[in-house]
Amino acid sequence: MKKYLTLMMVAALTGCAWQQPMPPGVAEVQLVELNDFHGNLEASKYVWDSAAGGGERTIQAGGIDTLGAALKAWRKDDPELMVVGAGDLIGASPAISSMWADEPTIGAMNLLGLRVTSVGNHEFDQGRIELLRQQQGGCVSPRADKACKFDGPYQGAQFQYLAANVIDMRTRKPVLPAYKIETVHGVKVGFIGTVLRETAESALASGIAGLDFVDEADAINRQLPELRKQGVGVFVVLIHQGGRTTDKFDQQDCSNLKGPIVDVVQRLDPAIRLVISGHSHQGYLCKVDGRLVTQSDMGGHVLGRITLQVDTATNTVREVSAKQEVMVPGTWPVDPALTAYLNKAREQSAAALARPVAVIAVPSVKRAKDHVDESALGDLVADSMLAAGRPYGAQIALQNPGGIRQDLETVAGNRVTLGKAMAVLPFGNTLVAMNLRGSQIIQLLEEQWLEDRDSKRGLLQLSEGFTYQWDASKPEGSKIVPGSVKLNGVKLDMDTSYRVVTNNFLAEGGDGFPAFKNGSNRAPTGIRDIDALTQYLARREQDGKPAGAVAPLKRYVQKDQ
């Protein structure tokens, strides 16, 4: 590893050397791209598997101190280098950011010199009001217990969020600017930002009321005439939508990109040569219909370095190229400002995050890979929700796997700290109890497979005593095995009402579960999911029955498996 890091240092220093000037009539625009940062202020685990060979290796990568060091070094070569983003810079964040309403992450992006980014679906986690506060500053927030507690009155983002396809239904205009023009080395560059049109399914319905998420490609193409009137001939799309590929993250000109981003790119105006994407948390440097489509992992593990060569006579892009840079700590000389900022965030968070919660039965409780299957952690979270909902009559608890963001880890002696627990449930959702008839519960379970959404969001995690079987061979709408849905071993009666507790995101029909909206006698408990989890863990320890298991408990099973 020492030899490997030395090679990385040499590569970094070489990249900072003086470069040969461009020929007359050609300007070079340097961009640095990050996506899906998700408040990862500190370095975290990254599995490095390069097209250059060497096999997989697991390292610590990222951290705002490392990002700051890399950017400081690269700006010595090009002071006009621009940092841009493709959404989800905040939301689903570690506690060091989320416990302060993600203000530390916005502050870090300001220090890094971020200029412009698309919104991501997680920028809407706390609703429109909070997103606008994140942009503009101020302390009036739905998270009043967290806002303006990190560094006094919050001053807002010094970069611009873009949302060309997020339309205010009243004004029929974008809720945030659709584009931003930046001048780099004398070249006007038009950045157009969009988010995936399915954002409404992954955001709290009440928080995005009055917003319409329209087709991404149409919204992007609609901006070009206006940009051209302002003398812009170089266009860069920042889109929080992505895809998957079997190619390595740094494979040049990969041709195997699949997923929704491909359809969007294929419908863009031919003048658009560069699309910077996000959302799928996979690195790639792909070509789609001759355009470069990039993404750089997540969490600040990788930055994309992109070069646009522009013909200044015709005001058009001649060539686009890109490479991926893994953010290995220690590779570049320290940036004192970002190092000091990270230390401040750590110090202010340390005492609260280190507070012990409870001892559990195992060193780690795992969530399912890609959220697809039942997990030991999903079982545990659902059980904690059921326990918290008992005073409201709850008999069944249901949790979406996408709301569980990290494994539940422990420190010495299998002890869970508040920081470790908050990493599992960073959204601060509250619990809602409701009545659903047996037939409505069956309908709800069938919605798990609508339009193959199970492959994207996984299956609901179930509380103790609630079980069922499903049959993959059956058509959509008929996958639940008749008579298999049981509560405490007794078949559900289709006409009997059962008390169900879930988080407020699902209760409003989030993740594509409209059946939740049919619940009657709704009781907003005001109990946060993270509080339900920590109290459950503490109570289990006090009762001499520490919570946690190594494997899931098979509360739902596929028929014939």
Side-chain angles (χ1 to χ4, degrees):
M1 178 61 76
K2 183 176 180 181
K3 178 181 178 182
Y4 185 73
L5 294 180
T6 301
L7 290 173
M8 284 299 299
M9 289 285 287
V10 171
L13 293 172
T14 301
C16 291
W18 179 83
Q19 294 181 353
Q20 186 174 354
M22 288 290 100
V26 179
E28 190 169 88
V29 175
Q30 300 281 346
L31 305 179
V32 172
E33 177 271 328
L34 77 161
N35 56 271
D36 298 273
F37 185 72
H38 287 295
N40 279 268
L41 300 176
E42 299 181 287
S44 56
K45 184 173 71 173
Y46 172 64
V47 179
W48 191 343
D49 188 9
S50 173
E56 288 189 4
R57 60 186 71 86
T58 300
I59 64 169
Q60 290 288 304
I64 57 169
D65 49 346
T66 300
L67 271 62
L71 290 169
K72 184 179 180 181
W74 299 341
R75 284 184 172 121
K76 289 180 179 178
D77 184 47
D78 182 1
E80 294 191 48
L81 172 149
M82 275 194 59
V83 183
V84 300
D88 277 9
L89 303 183
I90 58 174
S93 307
I96 191 175
S97 181
S98 64
M99 70 185 298
W100 309 110
D102 275 321
E103 291 171 14
T105 295
I106 301 293
M109 294 297 116
N110 290 342
L111 288 174
L112 290 171
L114 181 70
R115 298 279 283 277
V116 62
T117 181
S118 67
V119 292
N121 56 293
H122 281 286
E123 264 83 16
F124 290 94
D125 282 347
Q126 305 299 324
R128 181 209 304 222
I129 292 173
E130 181 69 347
L131 171 56
L132 294 178
R133 185 187 80 88
Q134 297 282 4
Q135 176 73 79
Q136 300 164 1
C139 297
V140 179
S141 167
R143 297 185 283 183
D145 59 325
K146 300 177 179 181
C148 295
K149 301 295 192 296
F150 176 67
D151 194 22
Y154 171 63
Q155 300 302 312
Q158 295 171 15
F159 55 89
Q160 181 63 57
Y161 274 116
L162 302 178
N165 71 325
V166 185
I167 307 301
D168 186 303
M169 293 180 182
R170 183 178 59 83
T171 66
R172 299 312 303 171
K173 295 181 179 179
V175 68
L176 286 162
Y179 64 82
K180 189 170 192 287
I181 300 172
E182 295 278 359
T183 301
V184 187
H185 294 298
V187 176
K188 284 186 175 182
V189 182
F191 293 93
I192 308 168
T194 66
V195 66
L196 65 153
R197 65 181 304 179
E198 296 86 4
T199 294
E201 292 187 3
S202 59
L204 194 63
S206 58
I208 58 170
L211 297 181
D212 189 13
F213 296 83
V214 302
D215 182 85
E216 306 97 326
D218 291 346
I220 293 165
N221 290 335
R222 201 157 40 236
Q223 311 309 316
L224 266 62
E226 188 173 335
L227 285 166
R228 287 184 171 118
K229 288 179 182 178
Q230 299 179 66
V232 177
V234 177
F235 310 101
V236 176
V237 168
L238 306 173
I239 178 170
H240 193 73
Q241 176 61 286
R244 296 283 178 185
T245 178
T246 54
D247 294 290
K248 307 294 187 185
F249 78 104
D250 55 353
Q251 175 65 53
Q252 289 290 332
D253 298 338
C254 91
S255 58
N256 298 306
L257 188 63
K258 308 293 183 185
I261 188 64
V262 176
D263 172 67
V264 175
V265 172
Q266 289 174 337
R267 293 187 290 118
L268 294 178
D269 187 290
I272 297 170
R273 299 279 303 280
L274 172 62
V275 177
I276 298 173
S277 68
H279 189 56
S280 57
H281 293 195
Q282 184 181 8
Y284 45 74
L285 302 170
C286 293
K287 284 292 182 69
V288 177
D289 287 355
R291 313 173 206 264
L292 178 61
V293 184
T294 75
Q295 187 177 163
S296 295
D297 200 78
M298 61 80 62
H301 296 143
V302 179
L303 294 183
R305 298 192 66 183
I306 302 168
T307 301
L308 295 167
Q309 288 190 6
V310 180
D311 186 322
T312 56
T314 61
N315 196 24
T316 57
V317 176
R318 287 180 39 167
E319 186 178 336
V320 187
S321 59
K323 60 182 178 179
Q324 307 276 32
E325 295 269 8
V326 180
M327 294 292 100
V328 181
T331 302
W332 299 272
V334 170
D335 179 340
L338 269 300
T339 299
Y341 189 84
L342 178 56
N343 288 338
K344 175 184 176 180
R346 283 171 168 161
E347 290 169 5
Q348 289 193 206
S349 307
L353 297 180
R355 181 171 66 82
V357 170
V359 171
I360 62 174
V362 292
S364 176
V365 186
K366 303 293 186 183
R367 62 179 186 151
K369 185 178 181 181
D370 295 328
H371 308 313
V372 173
D373 300 314
E374 180 184 0
S375 69
L377 186 51
D379 293 342
L380 176 60
V381 170
D383 287 347
S384 72
M385 295 167 65
L386 179 62
R390 290 288 192 196
Y392 298 86
Q395 300 165 281
I396 299 167
L398 301 171
Q399 164 70 28
N400 56 311
I404 301 172
R405 304 304 295 191
Q406 299 287 342
D407 295 342
L408 179 60
E409 304 288 359
T410 64
V411 295
N414 291 358
R415 185 169 298 279
V416 173
T417 63
L418 180 60
K420 300 295 187 184
M422 289 182 68
V424 173
L425 298 170
F427 296 109
N429 289 327
T430 57
L431 304 186
V432 178
M434 65 182 74
N435 286 354
L436 289 170
R437 295 190 309 276
S439 58
Q440 292 174 315
I441 292 174
I442 300 298
Q443 177 190 349
L444 174 63
L445 295 177
E446 291 286 2
E447 287 174 352
Q448 296 178 108
W449 293 277
L450 289 180
E451 299 176 355
D452 295 321
R453 288 175 176 163
D454 59 302
S455 62
K456 300 177 183 178
R457 67 184 176 195
L459 302 181
L460 292 169
Q461 306 294 286
L462 315 179
S463 58
E464 182 181 13
F466 187 56
T467 58
Y468 69 87
Q469 285 185 299
W470 64 283
D471 190 339
S473 67
K474 297 298 183 181
E476 186 179 288
S478 303
K479 291 187 181 293
I480 299 297
V481 175
S484 71
V485 184
K486 298 178 181 179
L487 179 60
N488 299 321
V490 179
K491 294 180 183 178
L492 248 59
D493 183 87
M494 296 300 99
D495 297 321
T496 297
S497 283
Y498 298 88
R499 198 72 170 150
V500 177
V501 65
T502 190
N503 59 56
N504 58 328
F505 168 62
L506 287 179
E508 294 185 8
D511 250 0
F513 286 103
F516 274 117
K517 294 191 286 187
N518 297 326
S520 61
N521 297 325
R522 302 167 81 91
T525 69
I527 301 170
R528 297 190 307 162
D529 53 6
I530 181 62
D531 295 331
L533 177 61
T534 56
Q535 291 167 14
Y536 179 74
L537 297 179
R539 186 161 57 252
R540 287 285 300 266
E541 181 189 12
Q542 292 167 4
D543 292 344
K545 299 176 181 178
V550 173
L553 300 172
K554 301 296 183 183
R555 293 172 178 175
Y556 60 83
V557 294
Q558 187 174 343
K559 186 179 179 181
D560 299 325
Q561 280 196 346

